[in-house]
Amino acid sequence: MVVLWAGVMTLLFLWHWDTVRNLKQVEDVAAHSLKQVEDAAAQNVSLVSKDLQKYQSDQIAQKLQAIHMAQNMQELQAEQKQMKSQDSHLAWNLQRMQEDLTQAKSLSLNERRTVSNLLENLQEAVRKLWVEIRMAKGSACSTCPEQWLNFQQKCYYFGEGTKRWLQARFACSDLEGRLVSIHSQEEQDFLSKHTSKDSWIGLQDLDVEGDFVWMDRSPVSYSNWLRGEPNNSGLDEHCVMMRASGHWNDVFCRSQLDAWVCEQLATCGPPTPSTSGGPTPTPTP
Ligand code: MMA
Ligand code: CA
């Protein structure tokens, strides 16, 4: 019995001892693993906290950059606004200058036209005076180029060929003459006698409607209008033609007529012996 008890006790003791040992082993393993886990966790935490720090500093840097960019943007916008206002100011100035220039140009053009008109009037007056002086000295001023007809102190060319008014004007200047200006019934009768076709003459109101101007710039003191003319028919008749009858009618300047009459001053010959006592004069050119 005692032996049995001793056996049982021994077995129990052995089992207890084994269990304690096993437990200790398990504890050791557990402690070891726990330590490993703790170490790993600590490492992870430090890594994560490092990452977090880096992330936070990155975020701050980005925020700073964003602020900087916003500032730059604002500056650029302000600059752009200023440039725009400068631009519009410059455009305004440019336009004003262009207007001034146009005005100056038209002014100087008008002045030039006025001066050249005055000059032409003067030249015409001098030419006429010259003829009168020569006549007073007893010269005959009736010499005309070939194919030109003389009447009083002028020569006339009766041109034929289809032309508009301006073309007729050029044709006369090509012949060193100008479209005819008519100043008396005698002159009109002479012309009527030599024309059988509607012909362009040197009268027009191109500048101011109703204000008729002769090519030689002398005033319209004599007229020979057809009854009811000038009527500016269709509001576009600014050039004058002489009908075959000799009467005048204002017509469309671009009408085609088949005849045109030019004039030029006749040249003066030497003074007649009866009135001259001086040296031998030279004929005028
Ligand atoms: C034409 C033309 C005018 C002129 C009238 C007269 C119809 O227009 O020659 O210049 O005044 O005739 O009736
Ligand atoms: Ca008319």
Side-chain angles (χ1 to χ4, degrees):
M1 195 54 184
V2 173
V3 175
L4 193 65
W5 268 109
V8 169
M9 287 305 280
T10 307
L11 271 174
L12 268 172
F13 175 80
L14 278 175
W15 175 77
H16 173 75
W17 184 79
D18 193 46
T19 307
V20 166
R21 205 188 53 169
N22 276 351
L23 250 168
K24 195 161 168 23
Q25 261 180 359
V26 167
E27 258 175 21
D28 283 354
V29 168
H32 186 70
S33 337
L34 190 67
K35 188 155 180 354
Q36 268 186 339
V37 167
E38 270 174 2
D39 283 354
Q43 217 176 354
N44 270 355
V45 166
S46 106
L47 275 177
V48 166
S49 89
K50 255 191 214 161
D51 277 358
L52 193 70
Q53 261 180 358
K54 194 173 169 329
Y55 172 76
Q56 278 174 339
S57 78
D58 278 0
Q59 214 180 21
I60 289 169
Q62 273 179 0
K63 267 188 192 161
L64 280 175
Q65 215 177 350
I67 290 169
H68 194 64
M69 274 170 75
Q71 265 176 357
N72 274 354
M73 184 86 152
Q74 259 181 353
E75 275 168 31
L76 274 172
Q77 278 173 339
E79 225 169 289
Q80 199 185 26
K81 214 168 145 183
Q82 202 190 349
M83 274 171 74
K84 263 188 194 164
S85 91
Q86 254 177 1
D87 202 41
S88 73
H89 191 66
L90 277 175
W92 187 79
N93 271 352
L94 188 68
Q95 207 188 336
R96 287 304 306 270
M97 277 169 73
Q98 276 171 339
E99 279 168 9
D100 283 356
L101 188 69
T102 315
Q103 205 183 349
K105 265 191 198 163
S106 92
L107 260 175
S108 92
L109 218 88
N110 273 347
E111 269 167 29
R112 243 167 59 185
R113 202 172 299 156
T114 310
V115 169
S116 102
N117 273 354
L118 279 173
L119 186 70
E120 276 178 45
N121 286 356
L122 258 159
Q123 284 172 334
E124 180 67 17
V126 166
R127 277 195 292 265
K128 280 196 176 145
L129 210 69
W130 180 246
V131 169
E132 274 170 38
I133 291 168
R134 296 296 302 268
M135 297 232 309
K137 282 190 175 174
S139 291
C141 298
S142 55
T143 308
C144 293
E146 235 178 274
Q147 295 179 8
W148 291 63
L149 299 183
N150 168 245
F151 180 72
Q152 295 181 340
Q153 286 81 50
K154 290 204 275 186
C155 307
Y156 300 86
Y157 182 86
F158 296 90
E160 292 198 359
T162 312
K163 289 190 194 315
R164 295 169 174 168
W165 186 83
L166 201 64
Q167 292 171 322
R169 189 182 149 178
F170 287 143
C172 287
S173 65
D174 282 350
L175 297 169
E176 286 170 5
R178 63 187 167 215
L179 278 170
V180 70
S181 306
I182 309 169
H183 298 304
S184 68
Q185 189 60 54
E186 295 78 50
E187 190 176 16
Q188 179 60 63
D189 290 343
F190 167 80
L191 294 172
S192 306
K193 211 166 68 187
H194 289 92
T195 44
S196 54
K197 286 179 177 162
D198 292 348
S199 312
W200 287 121
I201 59 175
L203 188 60
Q204 45 82 16
D205 68 342
L206 283 159
D207 278 350
V208 181
E209 170 51 36
D211 188 0
F212 284 93
V213 178
W214 282 118
M215 289 305 289
D216 73 356
R217 292 156 193 285
S218 51
V220 184
S221 49
Y222 165 82
S223 68
N224 193 36
W225 294 108
L226 233 146
R227 180 198 277 271
E229 304 295 346
N231 63 353
N232 189 27
S233 174
L235 302 179
D236 206 11
E237 295 191 324
H238 308 301
C239 292
V240 180
M241 62 131 128
M242 180 170 71
R243 304 295 303 267
S245 68
H247 290 104
W248 310 344
N249 174 24
D250 60 339
V251 293
F252 184 47
C253 294
R254 288 152 88 78
S255 307
Q256 307 261 18
L257 296 190
D258 293 328
W260 29 283
V261 185
C262 314
E263 68 171 25
Q264 62 174 228
L265 290 182
T267 41
C268 303
T272 50
S274 58
T275 47
S276 103
T280 321
T282 45
T284 55

